[in-house]
Amino acid sequence: MAGRWRRGGGSGVWCTRAGELLELIYEHYEEALRALPLEDMPVLALRLLDAGVCIGFADPVTNIIANTLFFLPDTEEAGEPALLEPEPNGAKKRKRKRKKLKTKAFGEARVREEVLSKIVAGDGPSSPPEARTLAERSLEGLVCFLTSYFRHLPTCEALRYLCLARADLLVAVRLIQDDRCYRHSDELHTCSSLAVKTALKCAACSAMLHNFDAFITSCFALASHIKLITQTLSAKRHCRLTTQDICGLSAVLKKPLKFKRSDKYTPMNLAAERFHDREINASIENVPGELTESLRGVLMDRIHGHYLKVVPRLPMEEFQTCHHRGLLKAGYCFGPFNTVSNIIVNTIWYNTNFPPSEEFKVDIICTLRHVESRSLNGLLAFVRACFPEISEHHAMIYLLKSNLNICKIIETARLEGYDTPVCVDNGYKEAAHAASHPDPDAYCEFVVRCLPKVQSTIRSLLQASHILSSNEVLQLSELLSFPIAKALEPISELTEDALKMLAKEKEDFLVQQSFVRGKVQAALWNYEQTKGYHYELGIICGVNVNVGDETKILESKGQYSHVNFWASPDDGSGATLFFAEFSNYEDNNDNHQLFCFPASDLSAQVRCCYCECEGVRIVHPVAHCWEGATDFEKIACGEHTISNQEIINRSKRLDSQVGIFAQDGLYLDPAQNKLIQSVNRAAWVMNIGLDDEMRRRRPHPPQASIGIMTGKSDLKTARPPVQENLKAY
């Protein structure tokens, strides 16, 4: 966050919103200053200027007062109010009392003016971090909380939500959650979420508060006693608090925390009341295009959650042997069923009707991002083909609101007045092509003509969320087996260079698989020792080998890996999703971390900057024990090599990759003519790059050295790093 306000250029809207927010924050401080007895308790001014940020779980004015009072010293140190001396003469007494009151009022006004000038004064966005005022630091903290808590939220969008919420943090949170269609179970809970604590610490770092832990304690103390505090301040809203009020509220904030989720006086419930009180037009439908990039990232997260739910529903042995291929090649999430059922049906259909030339068992799927991205492309194409007047932005909103269910989208669009398509043939056709389906014509024929005949039987088989048995999978395979007319076309053959390239890719994959499986098995064994029962390791469904700072260029030995995998206990209670971390050293007996924890909460807002940077969606546990768990705090302080915006940009670029990927080479079939042609071309381009690199390393005559030193070359294509295994051909 450090350096946020000193931008080298940028959007005028960005600067305008920052200025609007500062004006709103000034108003909140004016109201807070009117409520505080600064003349009677001079220490209040010092504490307010030091820690009275408007960040917290109540309205901004209450946050300012609560953060100020939490840091007050004990009552006897705070200074008691001055007592008026008794006067022998009643008239003189009244006269002197009026004079003292007038003097006192003048003194209080002067003190408030001085304090407010210190809050307002400053150079604004151009001021250096150490010279920023309390209002500017509050704004820094508010923005940082939102960008640290929510994925895919750039600063410009955080400013937009804060403007709509009038600098009210939880109202802004509520707006974002509404726009992103959060379920109640996924919403921010102030009493227990580790993600909330991390975001608060990031906000404290960005606001340059001196005592992070005390600030976090203050926020949770306010949340714990919010009913009493808000009622007291509401009763005193239009008059000044007394010293007795101040001492009482300060004592309440230092009482033990008590959270009751059933209580209607929770911070989020009160924020909802403030949200509904204001006439703000914050609906995401009214911001066409501005939030589209963020929505794509949110949709990718949702899609990933559905794919993770698919894996344990299929028999694990069969999934590792054959269905992994159908999932990665054609297991898209569009179709006539719910999202998980669509993935299962499309996976089994493809594997049944386009069997591989040879089966091979895998222990690891490096990433699901490719099939997830293609699925999203297909879903968007389907919606827009059925309703051409709907923009891509609004298509994303429909997908969010329907939980990716295209049948619900059609029904919703009909209720909203859109012309309902007579048939959805064109929708499936466009979806298959946009998703780069291996055989879009065959898929359209299947889903439009053949699937309706057995749809009810399949729905009954998949209606429960239980693990499918081998017999049930076989029954589905028989139901989904249809004769497919395949077009006759000249068959291409792999070139010698392409065969070598694919052999190398497969060799690298097997080496990586063996290494990762060994590490995961060791981590699971360590976990078993603490639980006393055995787990059977299933499929590894996500790997990021680039966790932590690199020690050398292209050297990952000093880094760690983050992994998700499924494992089943021997008591038959069902598969559990685990998170594992281990070092990239070969030796399992080294002193580096090697552990795993259950991470079954797919909706937890736990973030890891390294996994987000690599575009690998790993579900992390809530425990703060893994590499990178506190790196967002470093980002907030400007102490990290990357920023939140860089994370967003890189993740967006990776999520938007299309085409054929290196992992597709593992599943290359002789009949896939287009894929073979693409692989041949990739091998040809790669060899040109290698030849160019060899020419660069040869000795050159002196007259050619200038061109080499200046980097002038007609061919700059270098061989993609083997370790990634994700680069598009």
Side-chain angles (χ1 to χ4, degrees), residues 362-416:
V362 299
D363 299 319
I364 177 176
I365 298 174
C366 294
T367 178
L368 292 165
R369 186 180 70 239
H370 305 147
V371 67
E372 291 165 356
S373 180
R374 291 166 177 166
S375 280
L376 179 53
N377 292 340
L379 287 167
L380 291 172
F382 182 95
V383 175
R384 300 196 68 190
C386 291
F387 305 99
E389 60 270 42
I390 294 179
S391 66
E392 182 183 52
H393 177 80
H394 282 76
M396 289 184 177
I397 295 168
Y398 276 118
L399 289 172
L400 276 175
K401 290 184 175 181
S402 68
N403 197 24
L404 310 175
N405 190 314
I406 55 180
C407 297
K408 289 183 179 178
I409 291 175
I410 293 174
E411 181 65 26
T412 302
R414 180 190 297 123
L415 295 175
E416 293 184 358

Short mmCIF file of all heavy atoms in Angstrom, two decimals, residues 362-416:
data_model
loop_
_atom_site.label_atom_id
_atom_site.label_comp_id
_atom_site.label_asym_id
_atom_site.label_seq_id
_atom_site.Cartn_x
_atom_site.Cartn_y
_atom_site.Cartn_z
N VAL A 362 -2.69 -41.63 -13.60
CA VAL A 362 -2.00 -40.44 -13.11
C VAL A 362 -2.28 -40.27 -11.62
O VAL A 362 -3.32 -40.69 -11.12
CB VAL A 362 -2.43 -39.17 -13.87
CG1 VAL A 362 -2.12 -39.26 -15.34
CG2 VAL A 362 -3.90 -38.86 -13.65
N ASP A 363 -1.34 -39.67 -10.94
CA ASP A 363 -1.52 -39.32 -9.53
C ASP A 363 -1.73 -37.82 -9.35
O ASP A 363 -2.06 -37.38 -8.24
CB ASP A 363 -0.27 -39.74 -8.72
CG ASP A 363 -0.03 -41.23 -8.78
OD1 ASP A 363 -1.02 -41.98 -8.70
OD2 ASP A 363 1.14 -41.65 -8.92
N ILE A 364 -1.53 -37.06 -10.42
CA ILE A 364 -1.51 -35.62 -10.27
C ILE A 364 -2.13 -34.93 -11.48
O ILE A 364 -1.93 -35.34 -12.61
CB ILE A 364 -0.05 -35.13 -10.08
CG1 ILE A 364 0.03 -33.61 -9.99
CG2 ILE A 364 0.83 -35.62 -11.20
CD1 ILE A 364 1.44 -33.12 -9.70
N ILE A 365 -2.95 -33.93 -11.20
CA ILE A 365 -3.42 -32.97 -12.21
C ILE A 365 -2.82 -31.63 -11.78
O ILE A 365 -3.19 -31.08 -10.75
CB ILE A 365 -4.95 -32.89 -12.25
CG1 ILE A 365 -5.55 -34.23 -12.66
CG2 ILE A 365 -5.41 -31.79 -13.21
CD1 ILE A 365 -7.06 -34.27 -12.60
N CYS A 366 -1.89 -31.13 -12.58
CA CYS A 366 -1.16 -29.94 -12.16
C CYS A 366 -2.09 -28.76 -11.91
O CYS A 366 -1.92 -28.02 -10.95
CB CYS A 366 -0.12 -29.56 -13.21
SG CYS A 366 1.20 -30.78 -13.39
N THR A 367 -3.04 -28.57 -12.78
CA THR A 367 -3.98 -27.47 -12.62
C THR A 367 -5.24 -27.77 -13.42
O THR A 367 -5.19 -28.44 -14.45
CB THR A 367 -3.38 -26.13 -13.08
OG1 THR A 367 -4.38 -25.11 -12.95
CG2 THR A 367 -2.94 -26.19 -14.52
N LEU A 368 -6.36 -27.28 -12.93
CA LEU A 368 -7.63 -27.40 -13.64
C LEU A 368 -7.98 -26.10 -14.38
O LEU A 368 -9.06 -25.99 -14.96
CB LEU A 368 -8.76 -27.72 -12.64
CG LEU A 368 -8.71 -29.10 -11.99
CD1 LEU A 368 -9.62 -29.15 -10.77
CD2 LEU A 368 -9.12 -30.17 -12.98
N ARG A 369 -7.06 -25.14 -14.37
CA ARG A 369 -7.37 -23.82 -14.89
C ARG A 369 -7.77 -23.85 -16.36
O ARG A 369 -8.64 -23.10 -16.78
CB ARG A 369 -6.16 -22.89 -14.71
CG ARG A 369 -6.46 -21.45 -15.11
CD ARG A 369 -5.26 -20.54 -14.92
NE ARG A 369 -4.22 -20.81 -15.88
CZ ARG A 369 -2.97 -21.16 -15.56
NH1 ARG A 369 -2.64 -21.29 -14.29
NH2 ARG A 369 -2.06 -21.38 -16.48
N HIS A 370 -7.15 -24.72 -17.14
CA HIS A 370 -7.41 -24.73 -18.58
C HIS A 370 -8.84 -25.13 -18.88
O HIS A 370 -9.55 -24.44 -19.63
CB HIS A 370 -6.44 -25.69 -19.27
CG HIS A 370 -5.01 -25.38 -18.98
ND1 HIS A 370 -4.05 -26.36 -18.89
CD2 HIS A 370 -4.37 -24.21 -18.73
CE1 HIS A 370 -2.89 -25.79 -18.62
NE2 HIS A 370 -3.07 -24.51 -18.51
N VAL A 371 -9.32 -26.22 -18.30
CA VAL A 371 -10.69 -26.65 -18.57
C VAL A 371 -11.68 -25.70 -17.92
O VAL A 371 -12.78 -25.46 -18.44
CB VAL A 371 -10.91 -28.11 -18.08
CG1 VAL A 371 -10.83 -28.22 -16.58
CG2 VAL A 371 -12.25 -28.65 -18.60
N GLU A 372 -11.31 -25.09 -16.80
CA GLU A 372 -12.19 -24.11 -16.15
C GLU A 372 -12.35 -22.85 -16.99
O GLU A 372 -13.46 -22.32 -17.13
CB GLU A 372 -11.63 -23.78 -14.77
CG GLU A 372 -11.72 -24.93 -13.78
CD GLU A 372 -10.86 -24.72 -12.54
OE1 GLU A 372 -10.12 -23.71 -12.47
OE2 GLU A 372 -10.91 -25.58 -11.64
N SER A 373 -11.24 -22.37 -17.55
CA SER A 373 -11.30 -21.18 -18.39
C SER A 373 -12.12 -21.45 -19.65
O SER A 373 -12.93 -20.61 -20.08
CB SER A 373 -9.88 -20.74 -18.76
OG SER A 373 -9.91 -19.59 -19.57
N ARG A 374 -11.93 -22.61 -20.23
CA ARG A 374 -12.69 -22.95 -21.43
C ARG A 374 -14.17 -23.10 -21.11
O ARG A 374 -15.05 -22.73 -21.91
CB ARG A 374 -12.14 -24.24 -22.03
CG ARG A 374 -10.75 -24.10 -22.63
CD ARG A 374 -10.13 -25.45 -22.88
NE ARG A 374 -8.81 -25.34 -23.52
CZ ARG A 374 -7.95 -26.33 -23.61
NH1 ARG A 374 -8.26 -27.52 -23.12
NH2 ARG A 374 -6.78 -26.16 -24.20
N SER A 375 -14.46 -23.66 -19.93
CA SER A 375 -15.86 -23.79 -19.52
C SER A 375 -16.53 -22.43 -19.41
O SER A 375 -17.67 -22.23 -19.85
CB SER A 375 -15.95 -24.52 -18.17
OG SER A 375 -15.82 -25.91 -18.32
N LEU A 376 -15.82 -21.48 -18.81
CA LEU A 376 -16.39 -20.13 -18.67
C LEU A 376 -16.61 -19.50 -20.04
O LEU A 376 -17.65 -18.86 -20.28
CB LEU A 376 -15.47 -19.26 -17.82
CG LEU A 376 -15.92 -17.81 -17.62
CD1 LEU A 376 -17.35 -17.75 -17.08
CD2 LEU A 376 -14.97 -17.08 -16.68
N ASN A 377 -15.66 -19.67 -20.94
CA ASN A 377 -15.85 -19.15 -22.30
C ASN A 377 -17.10 -19.75 -22.94
O ASN A 377 -17.87 -19.06 -23.63
CB ASN A 377 -14.63 -19.46 -23.17
CG ASN A 377 -13.40 -18.69 -22.73
OD1 ASN A 377 -13.50 -17.67 -22.04
ND2 ASN A 377 -12.23 -19.16 -23.11
N GLY A 378 -17.30 -21.05 -22.73
CA GLY A 378 -18.46 -21.71 -23.29
C GLY A 378 -19.77 -21.22 -22.68
O GLY A 378 -20.76 -21.01 -23.38
N LEU A 379 -19.78 -21.04 -21.36
CA LEU A 379 -20.98 -20.54 -20.68
C LEU A 379 -21.37 -19.16 -21.19
O LEU A 379 -22.54 -18.88 -21.45
CB LEU A 379 -20.74 -20.51 -19.17
CG LEU A 379 -20.72 -21.86 -18.44
CD1 LEU A 379 -20.18 -21.69 -17.03
CD2 LEU A 379 -22.12 -22.47 -18.39
N LEU A 380 -20.37 -18.28 -21.31
CA LEU A 380 -20.65 -16.92 -21.79
C LEU A 380 -21.17 -16.95 -23.23
O LEU A 380 -22.10 -16.21 -23.58
CB LEU A 380 -19.38 -16.07 -21.70
CG LEU A 380 -18.90 -15.73 -20.29
CD1 LEU A 380 -17.53 -15.05 -20.33
CD2 LEU A 380 -19.90 -14.81 -19.58
N ALA A 381 -20.56 -17.80 -24.05
CA ALA A 381 -21.00 -17.89 -25.44
C ALA A 381 -22.43 -18.43 -25.52
O ALA A 381 -23.23 -17.98 -26.35
CB ALA A 381 -20.05 -18.80 -26.23
N PHE A 382 -22.77 -19.38 -24.66
CA PHE A 382 -24.12 -19.94 -24.64
C PHE A 382 -25.15 -18.85 -24.32
O PHE A 382 -26.16 -18.71 -25.03
CB PHE A 382 -24.22 -21.06 -23.61
CG PHE A 382 -25.56 -21.73 -23.57
CD1 PHE A 382 -25.80 -22.88 -24.29
CD2 PHE A 382 -26.60 -21.20 -22.81
CE1 PHE A 382 -27.04 -23.49 -24.26
CE2 PHE A 382 -27.85 -21.80 -22.77
CZ PHE A 382 -28.07 -22.95 -23.50
N VAL A 383 -24.90 -18.08 -23.25
CA VAL A 383 -25.86 -17.05 -22.84
C VAL A 383 -26.03 -16.01 -23.94
O VAL A 383 -27.16 -15.62 -24.27
CB VAL A 383 -25.40 -16.38 -21.52
CG1 VAL A 383 -26.33 -15.24 -21.15
CG2 VAL A 383 -25.36 -17.41 -20.39
N ARG A 384 -24.94 -15.59 -24.52
CA ARG A 384 -25.02 -14.53 -25.53
C ARG A 384 -25.60 -15.03 -26.86
O ARG A 384 -26.16 -14.26 -27.61
CB ARG A 384 -23.64 -13.92 -25.73
CG ARG A 384 -23.06 -13.31 -24.45
CD ARG A 384 -21.92 -12.40 -24.75
NE ARG A 384 -22.37 -11.21 -25.45
CZ ARG A 384 -21.53 -10.31 -26.00
NH1 ARG A 384 -20.22 -10.51 -25.92
NH2 ARG A 384 -22.00 -9.25 -26.61
N ALA A 385 -25.44 -16.33 -27.12
CA ALA A 385 -26.05 -16.88 -28.33
C ALA A 385 -27.57 -16.98 -28.18
O ALA A 385 -28.32 -16.75 -29.13
CB ALA A 385 -25.47 -18.26 -28.64
N CYS A 386 -28.01 -17.31 -26.96
CA CYS A 386 -29.45 -17.41 -26.71
C CYS A 386 -30.10 -16.03 -26.61
O CYS A 386 -31.25 -15.84 -27.01
CB CYS A 386 -29.72 -18.20 -25.43
SG CYS A 386 -29.31 -19.95 -25.55
N PHE A 387 -29.34 -15.07 -26.07
CA PHE A 387 -29.87 -13.71 -25.87
C PHE A 387 -28.85 -12.71 -26.42
O PHE A 387 -28.03 -12.18 -25.68
CB PHE A 387 -30.13 -13.44 -24.40
CG PHE A 387 -31.04 -14.44 -23.75
CD1 PHE A 387 -30.53 -15.49 -23.00
CD2 PHE A 387 -32.42 -14.36 -23.90
CE1 PHE A 387 -31.36 -16.42 -22.40
CE2 PHE A 387 -33.26 -15.28 -23.32
CZ PHE A 387 -32.74 -16.32 -22.56
N PRO A 388 -28.84 -12.46 -27.72
CA PRO A 388 -27.82 -11.61 -28.35
C PRO A 388 -27.78 -10.19 -27.77
O PRO A 388 -26.74 -9.54 -27.83
CB PRO A 388 -28.24 -11.58 -29.82
CG PRO A 388 -29.06 -12.81 -29.99
CD PRO A 388 -29.78 -13.02 -28.71
N GLU A 389 -28.90 -9.70 -27.21
CA GLU A 389 -28.92 -8.34 -26.69
C GLU A 389 -28.23 -8.21 -25.33
O GLU A 389 -28.03 -7.09 -24.84
CB GLU A 389 -30.37 -7.83 -26.59
CG GLU A 389 -31.27 -8.64 -25.69
CD GLU A 389 -31.99 -9.78 -26.40
OE1 GLU A 389 -31.35 -10.46 -27.22
OE2 GLU A 389 -33.18 -9.99 -26.13
N ILE A 390 -27.87 -9.32 -24.72
CA ILE A 390 -27.20 -9.30 -23.41
C ILE A 390 -25.70 -9.13 -23.64
O ILE A 390 -25.09 -9.86 -24.41
CB ILE A 390 -27.49 -10.59 -22.62
CG1 ILE A 390 -28.98 -10.65 -22.25
CG2 ILE A 390 -26.63 -10.65 -21.37
CD1 ILE A 390 -29.35 -11.89 -21.47
N SER A 391 -25.09 -8.17 -22.94
CA SER A 391 -23.66 -7.94 -23.05
C SER A 391 -22.89 -9.01 -22.29
O SER A 391 -23.46 -9.76 -21.48
CB SER A 391 -23.30 -6.56 -22.49
OG SER A 391 -23.53 -6.52 -21.09
N GLU A 392 -21.59 -9.08 -22.52
CA GLU A 392 -20.76 -10.03 -21.79
C GLU A 392 -20.80 -9.74 -20.29
O GLU A 392 -20.84 -10.67 -19.47
CB GLU A 392 -19.31 -9.96 -22.29
CG GLU A 392 -18.40 -10.98 -21.60
CD GLU A 392 -16.95 -10.87 -22.04
OE1 GLU A 392 -16.42 -9.74 -21.99
OE2 GLU A 392 -16.37 -11.88 -22.41
N HIS A 393 -20.80 -8.46 -19.93
CA HIS A 393 -20.86 -8.07 -18.52
C HIS A 393 -22.13 -8.62 -17.86
O HIS A 393 -22.07 -9.24 -16.80
CB HIS A 393 -20.82 -6.54 -18.42
CG HIS A 393 -20.96 -6.02 -17.03
ND1 HIS A 393 -19.89 -5.98 -16.15
CD2 HIS A 393 -22.01 -5.50 -16.36
CE1 HIS A 393 -20.30 -5.46 -15.01
NE2 HIS A 393 -21.57 -5.16 -15.11
N HIS A 394 -23.29 -8.41 -18.52
CA HIS A 394 -24.54 -8.90 -17.95
C HIS A 394 -24.64 -10.42 -18.01
O HIS A 394 -25.29 -11.03 -17.15
CB HIS A 394 -25.72 -8.24 -18.65
CG HIS A 394 -25.98 -6.84 -18.20
ND1 HIS A 394 -25.19 -5.79 -18.61
CD2 HIS A 394 -26.90 -6.32 -17.35
CE1 HIS A 394 -25.64 -4.68 -18.05
NE2 HIS A 394 -26.67 -4.96 -17.28
N ALA A 395 -24.01 -11.03 -18.99
CA ALA A 395 -23.97 -12.49 -19.03
C ALA A 395 -23.24 -13.04 -17.80
O ALA A 395 -23.65 -14.05 -17.21
CB ALA A 395 -23.30 -12.97 -20.31
N MET A 396 -22.16 -12.37 -17.40
CA MET A 396 -21.43 -12.78 -16.20
C MET A 396 -22.31 -12.63 -14.95
O MET A 396 -22.28 -13.48 -14.05
CB MET A 396 -20.16 -11.95 -16.04
CG MET A 396 -19.08 -12.28 -17.05
SD MET A 396 -17.56 -11.35 -16.74
CE MET A 396 -16.49 -12.03 -18.00
N ILE A 397 -23.09 -11.56 -14.91
CA ILE A 397 -23.97 -11.35 -13.76
C ILE A 397 -25.01 -12.47 -13.68
O ILE A 397 -25.31 -13.01 -12.60
CB ILE A 397 -24.66 -9.98 -13.86
CG1 ILE A 397 -23.62 -8.86 -13.77
CG2 ILE A 397 -25.71 -9.80 -12.76
CD1 ILE A 397 -24.15 -7.50 -14.13
N TYR A 398 -25.58 -12.84 -14.83
CA TYR A 398 -26.54 -13.95 -14.86
C TYR A 398 -25.89 -15.24 -14.37
O TYR A 398 -26.52 -16.02 -13.63
CB TYR A 398 -27.08 -14.14 -16.27
CG TYR A 398 -28.24 -13.23 -16.63
CD1 TYR A 398 -28.14 -12.29 -17.65
CD2 TYR A 398 -29.44 -13.32 -15.94
CE1 TYR A 398 -29.20 -11.46 -17.98
CE2 TYR A 398 -30.52 -12.49 -16.25
CZ TYR A 398 -30.38 -11.56 -17.28
OH TYR A 398 -31.45 -10.75 -17.59
N LEU A 399 -24.66 -15.49 -14.78
CA LEU A 399 -23.97 -16.71 -14.34
C LEU A 399 -23.74 -16.71 -12.84
O LEU A 399 -23.88 -17.74 -12.18
CB LEU A 399 -22.63 -16.84 -15.08
CG LEU A 399 -22.72 -17.20 -16.57
CD1 LEU A 399 -21.34 -17.12 -17.22
CD2 LEU A 399 -23.30 -18.60 -16.75
N LEU A 400 -23.39 -15.55 -12.28
CA LEU A 400 -23.20 -15.46 -10.84
C LEU A 400 -24.50 -15.72 -10.10
O LEU A 400 -24.55 -16.49 -9.13
CB LEU A 400 -22.65 -14.08 -10.46
CG LEU A 400 -21.15 -13.86 -10.56
CD1 LEU A 400 -20.81 -12.40 -10.26
CD2 LEU A 400 -20.40 -14.76 -9.59
N LYS A 401 -25.57 -15.07 -10.55
CA LYS A 401 -26.85 -15.17 -9.84
C LYS A 401 -27.46 -16.56 -9.96
O LYS A 401 -28.19 -16.99 -9.06
CB LYS A 401 -27.82 -14.12 -10.38
CG LYS A 401 -27.44 -12.69 -9.99
CD LYS A 401 -28.49 -11.70 -10.46
CE LYS A 401 -28.17 -10.31 -9.96
NZ LYS A 401 -29.18 -9.30 -10.39
N SER A 402 -27.17 -17.26 -11.04
CA SER A 402 -27.75 -18.59 -11.25
C SER A 402 -26.85 -19.71 -10.77
O SER A 402 -27.19 -20.88 -10.93
CB SER A 402 -28.04 -18.79 -12.74
OG SER A 402 -26.83 -18.88 -13.48
N ASN A 403 -25.69 -19.36 -10.21
CA ASN A 403 -24.70 -20.36 -9.81
C ASN A 403 -24.29 -21.22 -11.00
O ASN A 403 -24.18 -22.44 -10.91
CB ASN A 403 -25.22 -21.23 -8.66
CG ASN A 403 -24.10 -21.99 -7.96
OD1 ASN A 403 -22.94 -21.59 -8.00
ND2 ASN A 403 -24.44 -23.10 -7.34
N LEU A 404 -24.12 -20.57 -12.17
CA LEU A 404 -23.62 -21.17 -13.41
C LEU A 404 -24.62 -22.11 -14.07
O LEU A 404 -24.26 -22.86 -14.97
CB LEU A 404 -22.31 -21.93 -13.15
CG LEU A 404 -21.22 -21.17 -12.40
CD1 LEU A 404 -20.04 -22.10 -12.13
CD2 LEU A 404 -20.75 -19.96 -13.18
N ASN A 405 -25.87 -22.05 -13.66
CA ASN A 405 -26.89 -22.94 -14.21
C ASN A 405 -27.59 -22.26 -15.38
O ASN A 405 -28.35 -21.31 -15.20
CB ASN A 405 -27.91 -23.30 -13.11
CG ASN A 405 -28.84 -24.42 -13.54
OD1 ASN A 405 -29.38 -24.41 -14.64
ND2 ASN A 405 -29.03 -25.38 -12.66
N ILE A 406 -27.36 -22.74 -16.60
CA ILE A 406 -27.90 -22.06 -17.78
C ILE A 406 -29.40 -22.24 -17.90
O ILE A 406 -30.08 -21.40 -18.51
CB ILE A 406 -27.18 -22.55 -19.07
CG1 ILE A 406 -27.26 -24.06 -19.22
CG2 ILE A 406 -25.75 -22.09 -19.09
CD1 ILE A 406 -26.57 -24.58 -20.47
N CYS A 407 -29.96 -23.29 -17.32
CA CYS A 407 -31.41 -23.45 -17.33
C CYS A 407 -32.07 -22.35 -16.49
O CYS A 407 -33.11 -21.78 -16.88
CB CYS A 407 -31.81 -24.83 -16.81
SG CYS A 407 -31.20 -26.20 -17.82
N LYS A 408 -31.47 -22.03 -15.36
CA LYS A 408 -31.99 -20.95 -14.52
C LYS A 408 -31.83 -19.60 -15.21
O LYS A 408 -32.67 -18.71 -15.06
CB LYS A 408 -31.26 -20.94 -13.17
CG LYS A 408 -31.60 -22.09 -12.25
CD LYS A 408 -30.87 -21.95 -10.92
CE LYS A 408 -31.23 -23.11 -10.00
NZ LYS A 408 -30.49 -23.01 -8.68
N ILE A 409 -30.76 -19.46 -15.97
CA ILE A 409 -30.54 -18.20 -16.70
C ILE A 409 -31.66 -17.97 -17.71
O ILE A 409 -32.21 -16.86 -17.83
CB ILE A 409 -29.18 -18.21 -17.40
CG1 ILE A 409 -28.05 -18.15 -16.36
CG2 ILE A 409 -29.05 -17.04 -18.38
CD1 ILE A 409 -26.67 -18.28 -16.95
N ILE A 410 -32.02 -19.02 -18.44
CA ILE A 410 -33.10 -18.89 -19.43
C ILE A 410 -34.40 -18.51 -18.74
O ILE A 410 -35.14 -17.64 -19.22
CB ILE A 410 -33.24 -20.20 -20.22
CG1 ILE A 410 -31.99 -20.44 -21.09
CG2 ILE A 410 -34.49 -20.19 -21.09
CD1 ILE A 410 -31.97 -21.78 -21.80
N GLU A 411 -34.67 -19.13 -17.60
CA GLU A 411 -35.90 -18.82 -16.88
C GLU A 411 -35.89 -17.39 -16.36
O GLU A 411 -36.88 -16.66 -16.46
CB GLU A 411 -36.07 -19.81 -15.71
CG GLU A 411 -37.32 -19.60 -14.89
CD GLU A 411 -38.59 -19.88 -15.68
OE1 GLU A 411 -38.53 -20.66 -16.65
OE2 GLU A 411 -39.63 -19.29 -15.33
N THR A 412 -34.75 -16.94 -15.81
CA THR A 412 -34.64 -15.58 -15.30
C THR A 412 -34.78 -14.56 -16.42
O THR A 412 -35.47 -13.54 -16.26
CB THR A 412 -33.29 -15.39 -14.60
OG1 THR A 412 -33.16 -16.34 -13.54
CG2 THR A 412 -33.16 -13.99 -14.02
N ALA A 413 -34.13 -14.82 -17.54
CA ALA A 413 -34.22 -13.89 -18.67
C ALA A 413 -35.66 -13.77 -19.17
O ALA A 413 -36.11 -12.69 -19.56
CB ALA A 413 -33.29 -14.35 -19.79
N ARG A 414 -36.40 -14.89 -19.14
CA ARG A 414 -37.80 -14.83 -19.56
C ARG A 414 -38.60 -13.95 -18.62
O ARG A 414 -39.43 -13.13 -19.07
CB ARG A 414 -38.38 -16.24 -19.57
CG ARG A 414 -39.86 -16.27 -20.00
CD ARG A 414 -40.51 -17.61 -19.78
NE ARG A 414 -39.88 -18.65 -20.58
CZ ARG A 414 -39.35 -19.75 -20.08
NH1 ARG A 414 -39.36 -19.96 -18.78
NH2 ARG A 414 -38.81 -20.66 -20.87
N LEU A 415 -38.38 -14.08 -17.31
CA LEU A 415 -39.11 -13.26 -16.35
C LEU A 415 -38.75 -11.78 -16.47
O LEU A 415 -39.56 -10.91 -16.12
CB LEU A 415 -38.80 -13.75 -14.92
CG LEU A 415 -39.30 -15.16 -14.57
CD1 LEU A 415 -38.82 -15.56 -13.18
CD2 LEU A 415 -40.82 -15.22 -14.64
N GLU A 416 -37.54 -11.49 -16.93
CA GLU A 416 -37.12 -10.10 -17.08
C GLU A 416 -37.47 -9.51 -18.44
O GLU A 416 -37.06 -8.40 -18.76
CB GLU A 416 -35.61 -10.00 -16.83
CG GLU A 416 -35.23 -10.30 -15.39
CD GLU A 416 -33.74 -10.11 -15.13
OE1 GLU A 416 -33.00 -9.77 -16.08
OE2 GLU A 416 -33.32 -10.30 -13.97
#
